[in-house]
mmCIF file of all heavy atoms in Angstrom:
data_model
loop_
_atom_site.group_PDB
_atom_site.id
_atom_site.type_symbol
_atom_site.label_atom_id
_atom_site.label_comp_id
_atom_site.label_asym_id
_atom_site.label_seq_id
_atom_site.Cartn_x
_atom_site.Cartn_y
_atom_site.Cartn_z
ATOM 1 N N PHE X 122 18.091 10.620 6.667
ATOM 2 C CA PHE X 122 17.205 11.451 5.854
ATOM 3 C C PHE X 122 17.955 12.695 5.358
ATOM 4 O O PHE X 122 17.689 13.189 4.275
ATOM 5 C CB PHE X 122 15.962 11.860 6.655
ATOM 6 C CG PHE X 122 15.048 10.700 6.981
ATOM 7 C CD1 PHE X 122 14.814 10.318 8.296
ATOM 8 C CD2 PHE X 122 14.434 9.981 5.965
ATOM 9 C CE1 PHE X 122 13.985 9.246 8.585
ATOM 10 C CE2 PHE X 122 13.602 8.906 6.241
ATOM 11 C CZ PHE X 122 13.377 8.537 7.562
ATOM 12 N N LYS X 138 7.117 13.117 14.376
ATOM 13 C CA LYS X 138 6.406 11.821 14.327
ATOM 14 C C LYS X 138 7.300 10.693 14.839
ATOM 15 O O LYS X 138 7.007 9.510 14.628
ATOM 16 C CB LYS X 138 6.009 11.510 12.879
ATOM 17 C CG LYS X 138 4.608 11.933 12.528
ATOM 18 C CD LYS X 138 3.654 10.772 12.678
ATOM 19 C CE LYS X 138 2.249 11.099 12.330
ATOM 20 N NZ LYS X 138 1.256 10.284 12.994
ATOM 21 N N LYS X 139 8.441 11.074 15.426
ATOM 22 C CA LYS X 139 9.433 10.113 15.949
ATOM 23 C C LYS X 139 10.099 9.293 14.844
ATOM 24 O O LYS X 139 10.575 8.185 15.063
ATOM 25 C CB LYS X 139 8.810 9.184 16.997
ATOM 26 C CG LYS X 139 8.227 9.915 18.184
ATOM 27 C CD LYS X 139 8.081 8.975 19.367
ATOM 28 C CE LYS X 139 7.693 9.684 20.625
ATOM 29 N NZ LYS X 139 6.410 10.347 20.620
ATOM 30 N N VAL X 140 10.080 9.835 13.640
ATOM 31 C CA VAL X 140 10.759 9.175 12.525
ATOM 32 C C VAL X 140 12.109 9.876 12.357
ATOM 33 O O VAL X 140 12.189 10.951 11.774
ATOM 34 C CB VAL X 140 9.915 9.270 11.239
ATOM 35 C CG1 VAL X 140 10.630 8.656 10.050
ATOM 36 C CG2 VAL X 140 8.563 8.598 11.443
ATOM 37 N N LYS X 141 13.147 9.291 12.956
ATOM 38 C CA LYS X 141 14.437 9.987 12.981
ATOM 39 C C LYS X 141 15.455 9.346 12.045
ATOM 40 O O LYS X 141 16.233 10.023 11.404
ATOM 41 C CB LYS X 141 14.982 9.989 14.413
ATOM 42 C CG LYS X 141 14.110 10.810 15.341
ATOM 43 C CD LYS X 141 14.598 10.753 16.763
ATOM 44 C CE LYS X 141 13.569 11.432 17.659
ATOM 45 N NZ LYS X 141 13.647 11.006 19.033
ATOM 46 N N LYS X 142 15.455 8.024 12.046
ATOM 47 C CA LYS X 142 16.447 7.319 11.235
ATOM 48 C C LYS X 142 15.684 6.369 10.296
ATOM 49 O O LYS X 142 14.735 5.722 10.743
ATOM 50 C CB LYS X 142 17.341 6.508 12.190
ATOM 51 C CG LYS X 142 18.525 5.847 11.546
ATOM 52 C CD LYS X 142 19.334 5.099 12.589
ATOM 53 C CE LYS X 142 20.539 4.386 12.020
ATOM 54 N NZ LYS X 142 20.330 3.562 10.862
ATOM 55 N N PRO X 143 16.083 6.319 9.028
ATOM 56 C CA PRO X 143 15.312 5.441 8.126
ATOM 57 C C PRO X 143 15.411 3.962 8.509
ATOM 58 O O PRO X 143 16.466 3.515 8.970
ATOM 59 C CB PRO X 143 15.941 5.676 6.751
ATOM 60 C CG PRO X 143 17.125 6.524 6.948
ATOM 61 C CD PRO X 143 17.146 7.045 8.344
ATOM 62 N N THR X 144 14.315 3.254 8.324
ATOM 63 C CA THR X 144 14.329 1.800 8.510
ATOM 64 C C THR X 144 14.993 1.198 7.257
ATOM 65 O O THR X 144 15.142 1.901 6.244
ATOM 66 C CB THR X 144 12.892 1.257 8.627
ATOM 67 O OG1 THR X 144 12.211 1.578 7.394
ATOM 68 C CG2 THR X 144 12.149 1.863 9.791
ATOM 69 N N ILE X 146 13.930 -0.671 4.818
ATOM 70 C CA ILE X 146 13.182 -0.509 3.556
ATOM 71 C C ILE X 146 13.206 0.950 3.114
ATOM 72 O O ILE X 146 13.204 1.251 1.915
ATOM 73 C CB ILE X 146 11.724 -1.062 3.673
ATOM 74 C CG1 ILE X 146 10.957 -1.018 2.349
ATOM 75 C CG2 ILE X 146 10.890 -0.331 4.713
ATOM 76 C CD1 ILE X 146 11.294 -2.075 1.378
ATOM 77 N N GLN X 147 13.284 1.870 4.068
ATOM 78 C CA GLN X 147 13.346 3.299 3.711
ATOM 79 C C GLN X 147 14.738 3.663 3.172
ATOM 80 O O GLN X 147 14.853 4.482 2.257
ATOM 81 C CB GLN X 147 12.995 4.161 4.934
ATOM 82 C CG GLN X 147 11.528 4.021 5.332
ATOM 83 C CD GLN X 147 11.203 4.565 6.713
ATOM 84 O OE1 GLN X 147 12.084 4.988 7.455
ATOM 85 N NE2 GLN X 147 9.935 4.541 7.076
ATOM 86 N N ALA X 164 8.791 -6.090 2.649
ATOM 87 C CA ALA X 164 9.405 -6.011 3.976
ATOM 88 C C ALA X 164 8.391 -6.529 4.971
ATOM 89 O O ALA X 164 7.176 -6.442 4.733
ATOM 90 C CB ALA X 164 9.769 -4.567 4.304
ATOM 91 N N PRO X 165 8.872 -7.073 6.085
ATOM 92 C CA PRO X 165 7.910 -7.553 7.077
ATOM 93 C C PRO X 165 6.986 -6.437 7.530
ATOM 94 O O PRO X 165 7.266 -5.254 7.319
ATOM 95 C CB PRO X 165 8.805 -8.016 8.242
ATOM 96 C CG PRO X 165 10.137 -8.231 7.648
ATOM 97 C CD PRO X 165 10.256 -7.279 6.503
ATOM 98 N N THR X 166 5.900 -6.818 8.147
ATOM 99 C CA THR X 166 4.912 -5.847 8.632
ATOM 100 C C THR X 166 5.566 -4.862 9.609
ATOM 101 O O THR X 166 6.503 -5.212 10.313
ATOM 102 C CB THR X 166 3.798 -6.612 9.362
ATOM 103 O OG1 THR X 166 4.400 -7.506 10.288
ATOM 104 C CG2 THR X 166 2.948 -7.402 8.399
ATOM 105 N N GLY X 167 5.056 -3.649 9.594
ATOM 106 C CA GLY X 167 5.474 -2.651 10.580
ATOM 107 C C GLY X 167 6.864 -2.086 10.381
ATOM 108 O O GLY X 167 7.509 -1.655 11.343
ATOM 109 N N GLN X 168 7.364 -2.057 9.150
ATOM 110 C CA GLN X 168 8.723 -1.566 8.908
ATOM 111 C C GLN X 168 8.737 -0.179 8.260
ATOM 112 O O GLN X 168 9.756 0.258 7.755
ATOM 113 C CB GLN X 168 9.476 -2.544 7.994
ATOM 114 C CG GLN X 168 9.633 -3.930 8.573
ATOM 115 C CD GLN X 168 10.711 -3.979 9.631
ATOM 116 O OE1 GLN X 168 11.836 -3.579 9.405
ATOM 117 N NE2 GLN X 168 10.361 -4.447 10.808
ATOM 118 N N GLY X 169 7.599 0.465 8.214
ATOM 119 C CA GLY X 169 7.574 1.841 7.693
ATOM 120 C C GLY X 169 7.537 1.930 6.180
ATOM 121 O O GLY X 169 8.082 2.851 5.582
ATOM 122 N N LYS X 170 6.805 1.019 5.543
ATOM 123 C CA LYS X 170 6.710 1.046 4.072
ATOM 124 C C LYS X 170 5.927 2.278 3.605
ATOM 125 O O LYS X 170 6.184 2.811 2.534
ATOM 126 C CB LYS X 170 6.033 -0.233 3.552
ATOM 127 C CG LYS X 170 6.869 -1.489 3.770
ATOM 128 C CD LYS X 170 6.288 -2.695 3.091
ATOM 129 C CE LYS X 170 5.196 -3.410 3.841
ATOM 130 N NZ LYS X 170 5.574 -4.119 5.059
ATOM 131 N N THR X 171 4.963 2.732 4.426
ATOM 132 C CA THR X 171 4.095 3.839 3.997
ATOM 133 C C THR X 171 4.905 5.089 3.638
ATOM 134 O O THR X 171 4.622 5.749 2.645
ATOM 135 C CB THR X 171 3.075 4.165 5.118
ATOM 136 O OG1 THR X 171 2.551 2.939 5.598
ATOM 137 C CG2 THR X 171 1.959 5.037 4.623
ATOM 138 N N ILE X 172 5.899 5.399 4.460
ATOM 139 C CA ILE X 172 6.698 6.612 4.204
ATOM 140 C C ILE X 172 7.425 6.507 2.866
ATOM 141 O O ILE X 172 7.623 7.505 2.186
ATOM 142 C CB ILE X 172 7.681 6.829 5.379
ATOM 143 C CG1 ILE X 172 6.908 7.448 6.542
ATOM 144 C CG2 ILE X 172 8.882 7.690 4.984
ATOM 145 C CD1 ILE X 172 7.703 7.737 7.769
ATOM 146 N N VAL X 173 7.784 5.303 2.478
ATOM 147 C CA VAL X 173 8.543 5.126 1.235
ATOM 148 C C VAL X 173 7.751 5.633 0.028
ATOM 149 O O VAL X 173 8.316 6.176 -0.913
ATOM 150 C CB VAL X 173 8.961 3.642 1.032
ATOM 151 C CG1 VAL X 173 9.721 3.462 -0.263
ATOM 152 C CG2 VAL X 173 9.777 3.144 2.205
ATOM 153 N N PHE X 174 6.431 5.479 0.070
ATOM 154 C CA PHE X 174 5.682 5.995 -1.087
ATOM 155 C C PHE X 174 5.017 7.337 -0.816
ATOM 156 O O PHE X 174 4.819 8.128 -1.713
ATOM 157 C CB PHE X 174 4.659 4.964 -1.611
ATOM 158 C CG PHE X 174 3.568 4.572 -0.657
ATOM 159 C CD1 PHE X 174 2.466 5.383 -0.458
ATOM 160 C CD2 PHE X 174 3.615 3.375 0.039
ATOM 161 C CE1 PHE X 174 1.449 5.021 0.417
ATOM 162 C CE2 PHE X 174 2.604 2.997 0.920
ATOM 163 C CZ PHE X 174 1.512 3.828 1.103
ATOM 164 N N LEU X 208 -7.731 0.823 5.755
ATOM 165 C CA LEU X 208 -6.358 1.182 5.406
ATOM 166 C C LEU X 208 -6.345 2.460 4.563
ATOM 167 O O LEU X 208 -5.456 3.304 4.697
ATOM 168 C CB LEU X 208 -5.667 0.023 4.667
ATOM 169 C CG LEU X 208 -4.200 0.242 4.316
ATOM 170 C CD1 LEU X 208 -3.370 0.619 5.540
ATOM 171 C CD2 LEU X 208 -3.598 -0.993 3.662
ATOM 172 N N GLN X 211 -6.739 5.293 6.961
ATOM 173 C CA GLN X 211 -5.484 5.497 7.713
ATOM 174 C C GLN X 211 -4.433 6.205 6.849
ATOM 175 O O GLN X 211 -3.771 7.145 7.286
ATOM 176 C CB GLN X 211 -4.956 4.141 8.181
ATOM 177 C CG GLN X 211 -3.644 4.226 8.920
ATOM 178 C CD GLN X 211 -3.129 2.845 9.308
ATOM 179 O OE1 GLN X 211 -3.635 2.240 10.243
ATOM 180 N NE2 GLN X 211 -2.146 2.327 8.600
ATOM 181 N N LEU X 215 -2.931 10.037 7.229
ATOM 182 C CA LEU X 215 -1.493 10.307 7.344
ATOM 183 C C LEU X 215 -1.048 11.313 6.275
ATOM 184 O O LEU X 215 -0.275 12.236 6.551
ATOM 185 C CB LEU X 215 -0.713 8.986 7.190
ATOM 186 C CG LEU X 215 0.731 9.005 7.656
ATOM 187 C CD1 LEU X 215 0.824 9.309 9.147
ATOM 188 C CD2 LEU X 215 1.414 7.663 7.369
ATOM 189 N N TYR X 219 0.603 14.981 7.035
ATOM 190 C CA TYR X 219 1.873 15.505 6.501
ATOM 191 C C TYR X 219 1.625 16.746 5.643
ATOM 192 O O TYR X 219 2.395 17.698 5.711
ATOM 193 C CB TYR X 219 2.620 14.429 5.698
ATOM 194 C CG TYR X 219 3.381 13.460 6.588
ATOM 195 C CD1 TYR X 219 3.146 12.090 6.531
ATOM 196 C CD2 TYR X 219 4.341 13.905 7.488
ATOM 197 C CE1 TYR X 219 3.834 11.191 7.349
ATOM 198 C CE2 TYR X 219 5.032 13.020 8.305
ATOM 199 C CZ TYR X 219 4.778 11.663 8.231
ATOM 200 O OH TYR X 219 5.464 10.795 9.042
ATOM 201 N N ASP X 283 -0.525 -0.624 -2.452
ATOM 202 C CA ASP X 283 -0.050 -1.003 -1.117
ATOM 203 C C ASP X 283 -0.752 -2.290 -0.712
ATOM 204 O O ASP X 283 -1.903 -2.506 -1.062
ATOM 205 C CB ASP X 283 -0.358 0.131 -0.123
ATOM 206 C CG ASP X 283 0.355 -0.088 1.207
ATOM 207 O OD1 ASP X 283 1.323 -0.875 1.242
ATOM 208 O OD2 ASP X 283 -0.057 0.531 2.208
ATOM 209 N N GLU X 284 -0.034 -3.124 0.039
ATOM 210 C CA GLU X 284 -0.567 -4.442 0.421
ATOM 211 C C GLU X 284 -1.003 -5.178 -0.844
ATOM 212 O O GLU X 284 -2.121 -5.691 -0.940
ATOM 213 C CB GLU X 284 -1.757 -4.305 1.389
ATOM 214 C CG GLU X 284 -1.470 -3.476 2.618
ATOM 215 C CD GLU X 284 -0.651 -4.202 3.673
ATOM 216 O OE1 GLU X 284 -0.662 -5.452 3.686
ATOM 217 O OE2 GLU X 284 0.030 -3.527 4.457
ATOM 218 N N SER X 314 4.375 -4.982 -0.492
ATOM 219 C CA SER X 314 3.758 -6.204 -0.016
ATOM 220 C C SER X 314 4.597 -6.770 1.126
ATOM 221 O O SER X 314 5.785 -6.475 1.230
ATOM 222 C CB SER X 314 3.722 -7.200 -1.180
ATOM 223 O OG SER X 314 2.816 -8.211 -0.953
ATOM 224 N N SER X 315 3.966 -7.574 1.972
ATOM 225 C CA SER X 315 4.826 -8.262 2.944
ATOM 226 C C SER X 315 4.963 -9.733 2.582
ATOM 227 O O SER X 315 5.800 -10.438 3.139
ATOM 228 C CB SER X 315 4.341 -8.081 4.385
ATOM 229 O OG SER X 315 3.002 -7.761 4.443
ATOM 230 N N ALA X 432 -6.547 -6.707 9.615
ATOM 231 C CA ALA X 432 -5.178 -7.223 9.539
ATOM 232 C C ALA X 432 -4.365 -6.545 8.460
ATOM 233 O O ALA X 432 -3.153 -6.658 8.426
ATOM 234 C CB ALA X 432 -5.215 -8.732 9.258
ATOM 235 N N LYS X 433 -5.044 -5.844 7.562
ATOM 236 C CA LYS X 433 -4.347 -5.349 6.379
ATOM 237 C C LYS X 433 -3.732 -3.987 6.608
ATOM 238 O O LYS X 433 -4.397 -2.974 6.465
ATOM 239 C CB LYS X 433 -5.329 -5.262 5.216
ATOM 240 C CG LYS X 433 -5.782 -6.595 4.722
ATOM 241 C CD LYS X 433 -6.972 -6.412 3.810
ATOM 242 C CE LYS X 433 -7.886 -7.592 3.862
ATOM 243 N NZ LYS X 433 -9.263 -7.239 3.648
ATOM 244 N N GLY X 434 -2.492 -3.979 6.983
ATOM 245 C CA GLY X 434 -1.730 -2.735 7.026
ATOM 246 C C GLY X 434 -2.138 -1.755 8.104
ATOM 247 O O GLY X 434 -1.581 -0.668 8.172
ATOM 248 N N LEU X 435 -3.123 -2.106 8.943
ATOM 249 C CA LEU X 435 -3.536 -1.113 9.932
ATOM 250 C C LEU X 435 -2.457 -0.958 11.000
ATOM 251 O O LEU X 435 -1.869 -1.928 11.455
ATOM 252 C CB LEU X 435 -4.875 -1.492 10.551
ATOM 253 C CG LEU X 435 -6.079 -1.377 9.620
ATOM 254 C CD1 LEU X 435 -7.368 -1.602 10.370
ATOM 255 C CD2 LEU X 435 -6.123 -0.016 8.932
ATOM 256 N N ASP X 436 -2.228 0.307 11.343
ATOM 257 C CA ASP X 436 -1.143 0.614 12.267
ATOM 258 C C ASP X 436 -1.748 1.101 13.580
ATOM 259 O O ASP X 436 -2.010 2.279 13.743
ATOM 260 C CB ASP X 436 -0.271 1.710 11.619
ATOM 261 C CG ASP X 436 0.940 2.035 12.458
ATOM 262 O OD1 ASP X 436 1.563 1.102 12.992
ATOM 263 O OD2 ASP X 436 1.258 3.234 12.590
ATOM 264 N N PRO X 438 -1.302 1.747 17.519
ATOM 265 C CA PRO X 438 -0.110 1.929 18.346
ATOM 266 C C PRO X 438 -0.011 0.896 19.470
ATOM 267 O O PRO X 438 -1.000 0.598 20.143
ATOM 268 C CB PRO X 438 -0.275 3.353 18.906
ATOM 269 C CG PRO X 438 -1.713 3.675 18.761
ATOM 270 C CD PRO X 438 -2.267 2.844 17.652
ATOM 271 N N HIS X 457 0.086 -11.350 8.237
ATOM 272 C CA HIS X 457 -0.470 -9.995 8.354
ATOM 273 C C HIS X 457 -1.076 -9.757 9.735
ATOM 274 O O HIS X 457 -0.876 -8.713 10.339
ATOM 275 C CB HIS X 457 -1.559 -9.765 7.301
ATOM 276 C CG HIS X 457 -0.996 -9.462 5.945
ATOM 277 N ND1 HIS X 457 -0.524 -8.221 5.621
ATOM 278 C CD2 HIS X 457 -0.809 -10.230 4.854
ATOM 279 C CE1 HIS X 457 -0.079 -8.237 4.369
ATOM 280 N NE2 HIS X 457 -0.245 -9.455 3.885
ATOM 281 N N GLY X 460 1.371 -9.394 12.484
ATOM 282 C CA GLY X 460 2.173 -8.198 12.215
ATOM 283 C C GLY X 460 1.571 -6.921 12.778
ATOM 284 O O GLY X 460 2.155 -5.851 12.679
ATOM 285 N N ARG X 461 0.385 -6.996 13.385
ATOM 286 C CA ARG X 461 -0.203 -5.795 14.006
ATOM 287 C C ARG X 461 0.487 -5.506 15.335
ATOM 288 O O ARG X 461 0.292 -4.462 15.934
ATOM 289 C CB ARG X 461 -1.711 -5.965 14.272
ATOM 290 C CG ARG X 461 -2.607 -6.163 13.068
ATOM 291 C CD ARG X 461 -2.335 -5.218 11.957
ATOM 292 N NE ARG X 461 -1.565 -5.880 10.916
ATOM 293 C CZ ARG X 461 -0.787 -5.249 10.045
ATOM 294 N NH1 ARG X 461 -0.653 -3.942 10.099
ATOM 295 N NH2 ARG X 461 -0.092 -5.910 9.143
ATOM 296 N N ARG X 464 5.633 -3.893 16.209
ATOM 297 C CA ARG X 464 5.973 -3.023 15.082
ATOM 298 C C ARG X 464 7.144 -2.123 15.416
ATOM 299 O O ARG X 464 7.304 -1.684 16.547
ATOM 300 C CB ARG X 464 4.727 -2.213 14.663
ATOM 301 C CG ARG X 464 3.682 -3.132 14.053
ATOM 302 C CD ARG X 464 2.365 -2.464 13.887
ATOM 303 N NE ARG X 464 2.270 -1.593 12.724
ATOM 304 C CZ ARG X 464 2.136 -2.019 11.480
ATOM 305 N NH1 ARG X 464 2.096 -3.300 11.231
ATOM 306 N NH2 ARG X 464 2.036 -1.151 10.488
ATOM 307 N N LEU X 465 7.947 -1.879 14.434
ATOM 308 C CA LEU X 465 9.138 -1.032 14.522
ATOM 309 C C LEU X 465 9.991 -1.248 15.762
ATOM 310 O O LEU X 465 10.146 -0.375 16.608
ATOM 311 C CB LEU X 465 8.745 0.426 14.411
ATOM 312 C CG LEU X 465 9.030 0.880 12.982
ATOM 313 C CD1 LEU X 465 8.219 2.064 12.617
ATOM 314 C CD2 LEU X 465 10.508 1.149 12.786
HETATM 315 N N1 ATP Q 614 11.997 5.487 10.333
HETATM 316 C C1 ATP Q 614 11.064 5.348 11.264
HETATM 317 N N2 ATP Q 614 11.377 5.514 12.571
HETATM 318 C C2 ATP Q 614 10.431 5.390 13.530
HETATM 319 N N3 ATP Q 614 9.119 5.108 13.283
HETATM 320 C C3 ATP Q 614 8.758 4.927 11.994
HETATM 321 C C4 ATP Q 614 9.713 5.046 10.920
HETATM 322 N N4 ATP Q 614 9.059 4.817 9.766
HETATM 323 C C5 ATP Q 614 7.768 4.563 10.084
HETATM 324 N N5 ATP Q 614 7.582 4.634 11.412
HETATM 325 C C6 ATP Q 614 6.326 4.345 12.152
HETATM 326 O O1 ATP Q 614 6.189 2.928 12.139
HETATM 327 C C7 ATP Q 614 4.817 2.535 12.136
HETATM 328 C C8 ATP Q 614 4.584 1.462 11.063
HETATM 329 O O2 ATP Q 614 4.743 2.009 9.781
HETATM 330 P P1 ATP Q 614 3.906 1.486 8.520
HETATM 331 O O3 ATP Q 614 2.465 1.389 8.868
HETATM 332 O O4 ATP Q 614 4.306 2.315 7.382
HETATM 333 O O5 ATP Q 614 4.485 0.016 8.384
HETATM 334 P P2 ATP Q 614 4.284 -1.017 7.194
HETATM 335 O O6 ATP Q 614 5.617 -1.542 6.839
HETATM 336 O O7 ATP Q 614 3.476 -0.401 6.110
HETATM 337 O O8 ATP Q 614 3.466 -2.170 7.909
HETATM 338 P P3 ATP Q 614 2.313 -3.148 7.301
HETATM 339 O O9 ATP Q 614 2.994 -4.087 6.379
HETATM 340 O O10 ATP Q 614 1.773 -3.806 8.505
HETATM 341 O O11 ATP Q 614 1.347 -2.262 6.621
HETATM 342 C C9 ATP Q 614 4.051 3.828 11.917
HETATM 343 O O12 ATP Q 614 3.491 4.199 13.141
HETATM 344 C C10 ATP Q 614 5.087 4.843 11.471
HETATM 345 O O13 ATP Q 614 4.792 6.158 11.894
#
Side-chain angles (χ1 to χ4, degrees):
F122 293 117
K138 265 264 181 207
K139 301 200 172 63
V140 177
K141 294 177 188 157
K142 187 179 179 311
T144 61
I146 185 77
Q147 292 166 355
T166 49
Q168 299 283 306
K170 293 188 277 291
T171 315
I172 281 180
V173 179
F174 63 79
L208 183 54
Q211 178 183 284
L215 196 62
Y219 280 123
D283 191 19
E284 306 283 337
S314 198
S315 22
K433 291 167 210 149
L435 290 187
D436 184 42
H457 281 281
R461 297 314 102 204
R464 292 168 79 76
L465 260 157

